[in-house]
Every structure is written in C-alpha cells, then in structure tokens.
C-alpha cells in the first residue's frame, strides 16, 4: 500500500528521476522481471524502479530487507514496456511477419549503479545471483536478442559482457559513435539514428535568434567531451561563444553533481540560454531540486524531452516552461495511445508494474505477497487519466526506438527462418532459434520500413542523419505539460533552408515579454564596429566608431567597410554617398577671383604696351632697349593669361599647355630681364671707341640671350613631354565629399628641374642688376630689376613649401597665384616708374632735362 510519494533530491548516489516512493517489497521478490509466455522471446533491461538505503551502512552482499531500503517507481519509463508490448502484439497479429510464431518479452529491472548492472546481467545469463564461471542454473530459454539503454554507459557495461557470448544486443538510447567499435562491441546494434547533425541544428537555432552567449550542460564522460568539441566547433563557426560549461557525472543510471559553486557561476552569467546535451531528465531534475525557481530566467535548449515535471511546491509556474526541445522526427504510431489507455491490470494480470500503478493512483488495494490488486479500484481507471506530467500518453523517443528494435529483431528472425526453411524438409518446418549468434548476419543487413513507413537500419555505415522536430514546452499553468511543434531542422535541405521556425507560436519563459536576448555584449549599432576586449572571447566586445571613410550599415558588424574612391562616408558612418565631381571652376569664388586678377593685369599690361608704343621715341623708352621692353611686356601679358589654362575642366591639351607655357613664358621673361641687365652693364663699360664691348652692344649681342635660354627651356620641355607628360588625374581625398579633377604634372623631376632653371635665370638677373645698381645714369633701371628679381625669387621660394602642404583646388590656386604674383611684381617694379614719368612727369622725359642733369652732375664732380 502507498505510504506517501515525495520529490527526491538527487545528490551524490541518489538516482535523479522523479519517482514515487513505495513501501512494498514485492517488486524485489519478483526477481526484477516480467515474463510473457511465448514460443520465442525478446529480452530487455529497463530501469522501472530502484531502491536506495535509508541508513549509511548497508551490507550490499545481502538482498534488501523490509525497512532497510526505500523503493522508488519511475512511472515514465514504464512506457518502454508498453511500447515493447504494443510492437509484439502487432507482430503476433500479422500474417506476413513470423507466421505460426508467437513472440514474448522478458523484462528485467535495471538498478542504477555498475555493480547492480553487472549483477543483473549475470543473473539473467546464469540464473545465479553471484556469477560463477561455467555454471548455468537458468531454466528458461534465453531470448533471441536483448534491448538495453537508455544511457550509453549502461549499454557499454552490458555490451562488454554480451560480447563474450556473441549475444545480440540492441540499444534504444541515443546514438553513440563509441559503441560502433566492432572489436569491443561486435554484438551491439544501435537503433537510434545518427545525431551528428544535431550540433549544427543547435548552432543554427542560436544564429536564428541572435543568441551568441550560451551556457552548456553536459555529462563528464567521453560522449560529453566529444559533444562539447563538436558543439564548440559549430558555435565558433557561427560566431556563438560558450559562456560556461557545467558537467554532470553518471555512474550507471545514477548521477553525481555538486551544484553549490556552479549555481552561482551560472546565475551570475549574462547568458539567458543554456544548452543541455544528454539525459535531460537527469540533468534538469537535479538542477530544479537544488535551484528551484531561480532557473526560470533561462531558456533551456534540450536534445531530448524531459519527463520529470512534477513539483507540487510550484503551483503557478513550471521552471522549464518555454524550453525548446530537439526531437528526432518520426511518424506517429497509430493506435499506441489507445493501447496505453486500454492497458489495465485486468488485461495484463502478469504485469506487476500495472498493479503497482493502480495501487498508487487509483486507490486499489495491493496484495503484498504477489504485487496484485484485489479490491477497491476506481471504476474505468486508465493510464490516460493520469496527468501528463506524471505519465505521458505520447510516444517518447526511447519508446519509438524500442518499437523499432522489436521490429528489427522480428524481421531478422523472419529472414533467418526463411533461409533455414529452404534447407529443411517439410517435416522439420517448425524451426526454433538454436543459438542467438545465428541472428547476427540478418541484424547487420536489416533494412526495413516499420508500419508508419520509417526506415529501420542497424548498420551504422548505412544510417543517415536524423531530421528533427523542434518542440516548445508549454507548462503554464503548471501541469499542462504540452509539447508544441514550432519548427524543424533538416540537415539534408539546401543551405539556408535547413532550419524552419514559427516564432509566433513559441511561448517563452514568463520572465520574458519578447524574444529573449542572450549576449555578452549588446550588438553594435550601424556606424560602429566590434572591438574585442583583451583576454575575452570574441562575443565580449566594445563598440567603437568606424574609422574615417568607413561604414557599417548593419547591426553587430565586426569590421567596417571602406567606401570606394568615388564615395565618402556620411556623418553617421552608416552609408557611402556619391562624391561630387569638382574642379577649379570659373563659377567658384576662388576661380572668379583669380580670373578677374588675371584679366585685370593682362589689360593693365596691354595699357602699358600702348603707352610705350605711343611714347616710343621718348628718351625713357629708348634708354633701355625698347625692343626688349616690347618683348617683356608682351610675354608678361601672356603670363597673366596663362592662369586661365588652370581654371575650368581640365583636359589633356590644357594639362600639357599649363606646364609647357608656364615654363616657356617665364623663361622668356627672365631671359629678357637678364638681357636688359647685361645691356646696362655693357653700356657703362664702354670707355673708348673701338672696344669689343662697344661692338657687341652695337650688334645687340644681349638680344641673343633670349633665344638661347628659350631654346634650353624648349629642350627641357621636350624631354618632359616625351618621357612622362602631364595627364588628367583625380584627387578623391583632399576635399571631403568631393572628387577633384586636376592635372597631374607627370614627372615631378622635370617640373622641379624647370623651376630650378627659372631660379638660375632669376638669380643671374638679380646678381647682374645688383652689381650695377649704383651706376650713374638718368634712366638706370638696375635697382628696379634687382628688386623685381628679388620679389620673383621670394614668391617661388615661398611657393614650394606651401604647394606641398596643400591639396586639390587649393594647390592649383597656389600655383596660379604664384604666377600672377611674380608676373605682377616684374610688371609693377620695372614699368610702373617709367609709366609714372611718361604720364605724369613728361618734363623729365626730354633731352633738355637730360642735358641739364648731366651738366649739373659734371659741375659737382
């Protein structure tokens, strides 16, 4: 009779499943097995109930006595037996599969620790409680095959023993690559599909919801280490970081876990999503018993359904409401729910577990001696009346694997019998399985479809990756325990279409009013980029603005994108804008000003030319070689017009003319000034008739300086244009938001050689003019020539550093300004005094005035 049922705190050696405590020891007296008479059996080890000591010291060599142990029934695992019964009844009703042969089941209860697992296996093999080599006291025939699970460690322990006997073993737990090692487990077959794609599915889910900071809870065995490695690789590939990793140790069917330190580390983490990979039932049961409602702030992503939902102290909120569960997709087994509803102690009187369940939940009296009910039962009682959080009426993943395992064994037996029939006479047609190892060849090659059309394959090389349903756990209010399909993951689908999620159907934990966020650092807004914190994972970062001319137009970008040369970044650094094409235009204020100055000085020079032509016979015009004056004035006028080539949209012709005319015109100007200076010097060196200097002056030898110097400049320009001529270029960096079209000088060496040549001419003219500045003459212009050359040199010496420190239109403007300034200096300093005398002091521009001045100077002398 039921005394009470309680929640067991799973700590140290206490099993982790939610269980119901019973006091009757009839289960232990039934030798942990349930047997159904048949012509051929399939065996199974299920953890239906277990016991643990009430006191610290127990003699484990003795059988449990009343009062020494507390027995616990695991209601959810009873569905494994029902799935096995359902499959066998379907097979027995079939006229095509194993006709004239009835299958039965032999179920043994599996206790949690390794010692008891081995003891149960040896008891099943030999009928002896203590293993004695070469002794076999088992009276019943052995089953054709044995089903084991649910954890890989349990199957490994049993498989190590069955490997020695070559006994077929089918595991219904999750697929484990370790168990495929044929040298160790030659008789072991795994029913579950491969789950190698599950880590990719979990990573895709994280990426879909932008969760890049998650915790991981796994087992501390080799399987957990392998899963962690695969999961970490997938998460890293998708930019997801693991905030923490917690491990749980399993021994057999028991769990060892000390959550004191881990609890606070997990709760202090900013991760709101925790991935559980392994036995979710064991993991979550121990966590909720130790942490309570504190864990309701997490979204739990599981690889299997959790059955331990029963916690009466939480009346309004289940801690795992809103969890997401990856379950292998399989067809719905028609009739299984109805079968479970009709399973009663009356229908299966030999099933002691049904009797215990009826005793626990339907007020039936239980006969202690044989674990059977006899009176006071609730009318029309059924497993379907139990709440979903106590007994689930939908087929679990493990139950489906058990169902497939039974069909795999049945088809293998069928194929084996057919192969034997071909070699037997009609009289010996009633064939039985002599040795279990005879079934191996048929199990290895089995490839059949179960009644719902799903393929059953036991050869791991032929197994394909499973497709997954993504279910959402609805358990609000508590006890609803409803799993709703909200998505799928198909690893064989095209890239980008593998994950399908219906977000509006998902119910999140009640602490979240919208889709939860699980990040170490908030995503950087557009215009910013991630800056990884030193010593931190890539998901923990600061947000820094994009560098100059770089943009980020999406949230959470790791690097900014540099804008093309033809574009520039807006102020927010979120998009690249098309740059405006510009150049030194006539419409610009700077272009207008330079154009006006150029035209004004050109006009002024033309006026000076007119004045000199009108007064060409006056002494002041004739005094300094009026021919050279005309050349100088005409060249200066062209120099003033030369800047117009720098203004406006550049083309190849204007680019070439800019530098060629600039050098050529200034060469003519400076060589003319040099010729005028030499003329003054030669005039004062004539002391006697017949001297060579006089003849040179008469022959106008200084005039030949102009063509000689000009010829050298033409030669230099020819070399320049022949090697690396000027060309049209763009400047996309000098002015923000603009592309400046300008002329590139081509060869910088040729440009500076031209400037050096002009500098040599200017310095020569200055030196000659400076030497003869004090020579007595009425119209001696040597002083003005020296000052004009000094101004010319000052302008171009200042031009060089300023030219190199500016860019774009300003650089072009500086060159134009230097041309205008140096030309204006020559014009004003040389010709302004002469024009003043011609126009305003005509009395000084006469022969009478000159004679008087000479006569006065001779008297003084």
């Amino acid at each position: 009779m039921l005394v009470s049922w309680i929640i067991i705190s799973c700590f140290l050696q206490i099993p982790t499943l939610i269980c119901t405590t019973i006091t009757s020891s009839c289960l232990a007296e039934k030798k942990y097995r349930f047997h159904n008479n048949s012509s051929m059996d399939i065996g199974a080890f299920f953890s239906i109930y277990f016991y643990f000591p009430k006191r610290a010291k127990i003699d484990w060599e003795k059988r449990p006595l009343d009062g020494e142990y507390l027995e616990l029934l695991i209601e959810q695992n009873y569905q494994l037996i029902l799935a096995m019964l359902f499959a066998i009844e379907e097979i027995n009703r079939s006229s095509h599969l194993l006709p004239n042969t009835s299958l039965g089941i032999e179920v043994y209860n599996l206790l949690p620790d390794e010692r008891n697992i081995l003891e149960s296996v040896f008891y099943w093999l030999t009928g002896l409680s203590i293993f004695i080599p070469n002794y076999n006291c088992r009276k019943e025939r052995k089953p054709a095959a044995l089903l084991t699970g649910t954890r890989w460690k349990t199957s490994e322990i049993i498989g190590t023993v069955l490997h020695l006997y070559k006994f077929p073993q089918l595991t219904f737990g999750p697929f484990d690559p370790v168990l495929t090692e044929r040298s160790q487990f030659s008789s072991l077959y795994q029913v579950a599909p491969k789950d190698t794609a599950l880590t990719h599915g979990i990573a895709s889910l994280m990426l879909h919801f932008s969760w890049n900071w998650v915790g991981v809870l796994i087992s501390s065995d080799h399987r957990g280490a392998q899963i962690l490695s695969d999961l970490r690789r997938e998460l890293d590939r998708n930019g997801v970081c693991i905030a923490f990793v917690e491990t749980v140790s399993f021994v057999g069917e028991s769990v060892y876990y000390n959550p004191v330190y881990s609890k606070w580390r997990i709760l202090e983490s900013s991760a709101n999503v925790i991935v559980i990979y392994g036995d979710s039932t064991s993991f979550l049961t121990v966590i909720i018993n130790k942490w309570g409602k504190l864990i309701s702030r997490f979204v739990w992503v599981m690889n299997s359904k959790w059955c331990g939902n029963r916690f009466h102290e939480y009346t309004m909120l289940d801690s795992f409401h809103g969890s997401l569960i990856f379950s292998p997709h399989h067809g719905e087994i028609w009739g299984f729910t109805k079968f479970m509803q009709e399973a009663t102690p009356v229908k299966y009187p030999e099933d002691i577990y049904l009797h215990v369940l009826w005793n626990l939940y339907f007020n039936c009296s239980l006969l202690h001696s044989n674990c059977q009910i006899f009176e006071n039962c609730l009318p029309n009682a059924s497993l379907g009346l139990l709440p979903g959080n106590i007994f689930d009426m939908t087929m679990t993943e493990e139950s489906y694997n058990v169902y497939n395992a039974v069909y795999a064994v049945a088809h293998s037996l069928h194929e084996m019998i057919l192969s034997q029939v071909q070699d037997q006479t009609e009289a010996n047609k009633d064939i039985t399985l002599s040795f279990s190892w005879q079934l191996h060849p048929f199990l290895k090659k089995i490839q059949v479809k179960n009644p719902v059309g799903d393929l059953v394959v036991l050869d791991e090389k032929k197994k394909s990756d499973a497709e997954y349903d993504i279910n959402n756990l609805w358990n609000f209010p508590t006890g609803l325990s409803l799993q709703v399909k909200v998505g799928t993951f198909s690893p064989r689908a095209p890239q980008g279409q593998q994950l399908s999620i219906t977000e509006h159907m998902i119910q999140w934990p009640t602490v979240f009013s919208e889709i939860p966020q699980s990040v170490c650092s908030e995503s950087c807004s557009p215009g910013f980029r991630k800056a990884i914190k030193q010593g931190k994972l890539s998901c923990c970062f600061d947000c820094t603005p994009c560098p100059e001319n770089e943009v980020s137009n999406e949230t959470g970008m790791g690097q900014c994108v540099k804008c093309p040369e033809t574009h520039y970044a807006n102020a927010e650094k979120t998009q690249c804008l098309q740059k405006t094409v510009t150049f030194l235009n006539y419409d610009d204020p700077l272009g207008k000003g330079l154009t006006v100055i150029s035209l004004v000085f050109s006009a002024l020079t033309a006026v000076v030319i007119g004045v000199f032509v009108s007064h060409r016979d006056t002494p002041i015009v004739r005094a300094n070689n009026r021919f050279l004056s005309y050349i100088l004035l005409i060249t200066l006028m062209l120099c003033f017009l030369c800047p117009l080539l720098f203004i406006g949209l550049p083309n190849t012709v204007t680019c070439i003319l800019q530098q060629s005319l600039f050098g050529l015109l200034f060469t003519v100007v400076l060589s003319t000034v040099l010729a005028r200076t030499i003329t003054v010097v030669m005039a004062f060196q004539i002391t006697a008739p017949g001297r060579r200097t006089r003849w040179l002056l008469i022959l106008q030898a200084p005039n030949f300086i102009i063509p000689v110097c000009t010829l050298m400049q033409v030669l230099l320009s020819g070399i320049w244009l022949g090697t690396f001529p000027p060309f049209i270029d763009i400047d996309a960096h000098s002015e923000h938001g603009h592309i400046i079209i300008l002329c590139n000088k081509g060869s910088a060496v040729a440009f500076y050689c031209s400037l050096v040549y002009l500098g040599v001419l200017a310095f020569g003219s200055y030196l000659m003019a400076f030497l003869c500045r004090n020579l007595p003459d009425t119209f001696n212009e040597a002083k003005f020539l020296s000052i004009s050359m000094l101004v010319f040199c000052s302008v171009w010496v200042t031009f060089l550093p300023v030219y190199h420190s500016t860019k774009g239109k300003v650089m072009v403007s500086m060159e134009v300004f230097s041309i205008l300034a140096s030309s204006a200096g020559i014009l004003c300093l040389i010709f302004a005094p002469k024009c003043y005398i011609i126009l305003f002091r005509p009395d000084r521009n006469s022969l009478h005035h000159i004679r008087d001045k000479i006569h006065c100077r001779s008297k003084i002398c």
Side-chain angles (χ1 to χ4, degrees), residues 110-169:
L110 197 64
L111 296 177
D113 58 278
E114 294 183 22
R115 185 187 69 82
N116 279 311
I117 292 173
L118 288 172
E119 181 183 349
S120 299
V121 174
F122 287 128
Y123 177 75
W124 171 76
L125 282 170
T126 65
L128 297 172
S129 299
I130 300 176
F131 177 68
I132 302 175
N134 300 323
Y135 277 81
N136 187 359
C137 297
R138 181 184 172 98
K139 297 178 181 181
E140 304 90 351
R141 66 179 182 276
K142 289 188 177 69
L146 187 67
L147 276 56
T148 64
T150 56
R151 298 195 182 96
W152 74 271
K153 189 63 177 178
T154 301
S155 297
E156 180 191 43
I157 295 170
I158 298 175
T160 304
V161 177
L162 298 185
H163 168 72
L164 303 175
Y165 294 86
K166 305 299 180 184
F167 197 92
Q169 175 190 0

Side-chain angles (χ1 to χ4, degrees), residues 139-373:
K139 297 178 181 181
E140 304 90 351
R141 66 179 182 276
K142 289 188 177 69
L146 187 67
L147 276 56
T148 64
T150 56
R151 298 195 182 96
W152 74 271
K153 189 63 177 178
T154 301
S155 297
E156 180 191 43
I157 295 170
I158 298 175
T160 304
V161 177
L162 298 185
H163 168 72
L164 303 175
Y165 294 86
K166 305 299 180 184
F167 197 92
Q169 175 190 0
L170 284 77
T171 66
F172 53 86
F175 185 87
D176 191 338
V178 172
L179 299 180
T180 62
E181 181 59 48
R182 306 314 296 175
S183 60
Q184 280 187 283
F185 308 104
S186 59
S187 302
L188 189 147
Y189 305 91
Q190 300 188 73
V191 181
K194 287 183 178 179
D195 62 353
T196 51
L198 182 56
T199 54
H200 180 44
I202 293 175
S204 299
L205 183 71
M206 303 295 115
L207 195 63
H208 177 82
F209 289 111
S210 301
W211 295 334
N212 63 7
W213 189 242
V214 299
V216 176
L217 186 61
I218 58 171
S219 58
S220 61
D221 49 30
H222 82 279
R223 180 61 175 155
Q226 181 61 45
I227 289 299
L228 179 61
S229 175
D230 296 342
L231 185 62
R232 191 186 296 275
R233 182 171 59 252
E234 280 293 334
L235 294 178
D236 288 345
R237 191 168 64 88
N238 289 276
V240 181
C241 301
I242 297 179
F244 56 84
V245 177
E246 289 301 320
T247 58
V248 174
S249 300
F250 286 95
V251 177
E253 299 290 322
S254 295
V255 63
Y256 289 76
Y257 178 61
N258 187 352
V260 177
Y261 169 72
S262 303
K263 171 182 177 180
W264 294 113
R265 188 171 70 160
I266 293 175
L267 293 178
E268 289 175 359
S269 173
S270 60
N272 291 324
V273 177
I274 298 180
V275 177
I276 295 182
Y277 205 110
D279 188 346
S280 301
T281 300
S282 302
F283 287 168
L284 299 184
T285 303
V286 67
I287 291 173
I288 200 169
N289 276 282
K290 291 299 178 183
W291 296 0
K293 290 191 291 184
L294 293 175
I295 59 173
S296 61
R297 52 159 282 203
F298 297 109
V299 176
W300 300 86
V301 178
M302 314 177 199
N303 70 318
S304 61
K305 181 185 176 183
W306 179 49
C307 301
N309 297 358
R310 188 175 58 186
F311 292 94
H312 291 279
E313 58 266 41
Y314 309 135
T315 57
M316 288 301 294
L317 175 66
D318 187 271
S319 298
F320 297 98
H321 169 73
S323 298
L324 296 173
I325 304 166
F326 280 81
S327 299
H329 176 77
H330 58 76
E332 183 179 355
I333 305 298
W334 185 85
F336 181 64
T337 301
K338 181 180 178 182
F339 172 79
M340 289 191 293
Q341 291 173 340
E342 295 176 351
T344 64
V346 176
K347 185 176 181 180
Y348 299 104
E350 70 275 27
D351 187 348
I352 60 173
Y353 302 116
L354 273 176
H355 290 270
V356 173
L357 285 172
W358 253 245
N359 170 252
L360 292 175
Y361 296 106
F362 302 123
N363 297 324
C364 295
S365 300
L366 187 67
L367 188 61
H368 174 75
S369 60
N370 58 5
C371 274
Q372 290 190 349
I373 59 174

Side-chain angles (χ1 to χ4, degrees), residues 376-553:
N376 299 331
C377 287
L378 183 69
N380 300 321
S382 153
L383 293 175
L385 298 178
L386 297 178
N389 59 342
I390 295 178
F391 189 85
D392 197 348
M393 294 299 290
T394 59
M395 179 173 275
T396 63
E397 178 184 340
E398 291 79 10
S399 297
Y400 184 74
N401 291 338
V402 168
Y403 179 84
N404 285 337
V406 173
Y407 265 92
V409 174
H411 278 280
S412 299
L413 287 171
H414 186 81
E415 292 296 325
M416 187 189 71
I417 292 174
L418 288 178
S419 66
Q420 290 178 352
V421 166
Q422 295 174 0
D423 301 327
Q424 299 294 330
T425 62
E426 190 70 22
N428 296 326
K429 196 170 182 179
D430 187 16
I431 299 172
T432 59
L433 183 64
S434 302
F435 301 101
S436 297
W437 56 263
Q438 294 175 312
L439 198 59
H440 283 301
F442 303 96
L443 286 171
K444 289 178 181 177
K445 65 180 182 180
I446 191 71
Q447 273 187 302
V448 296
K449 288 188 176 181
N450 63 13
V452 297
D454 292 341
L455 189 65
V456 180
V457 180
L458 298 183
D459 187 352
E460 63 274 2
K461 296 179 181 179
K462 299 178 182 178
K463 285 180 179 289
S464 59
D465 289 324
E467 295 188 357
Y468 293 92
D469 294 331
I470 302 176
N471 299 320
N472 184 219
L473 179 60
W474 293 4
N475 204 31
F476 183 75
T478 297
L480 181 61
S481 190
L482 182 63
Q483 286 195 67
V484 179
K485 182 178 176 180
V486 295
T488 59
F489 177 76
S490 177
R492 293 184 291 274
Q495 190 70 26
Q497 302 177 17
Q498 296 172 323
L499 182 71
S500 175
I501 292 290
T502 308
E503 293 186 9
H504 71 271
M505 292 184 62
I506 300 177
Q507 288 191 10
W508 300 107
T510 54
V511 297
F512 301 108
S513 58
E514 56 185 10
I515 296 177
Q517 298 296 312
S518 186
V519 295
C520 180
S521 300
E522 290 294 332
S523 297
C524 296
S525 303
F528 292 82
R529 64 177 179 87
K530 298 177 183 177
I532 307 300
K533 296 180 180 179
Q534 188 174 6
K536 299 291 185 179
L537 295 175
S538 60
C539 299
C540 301
F541 51 82
D542 295 322
C543 294
T544 58
C546 289
E548 185 67 27
N549 210 39
E550 293 187 12
V551 298
S552 63
N553 55 5

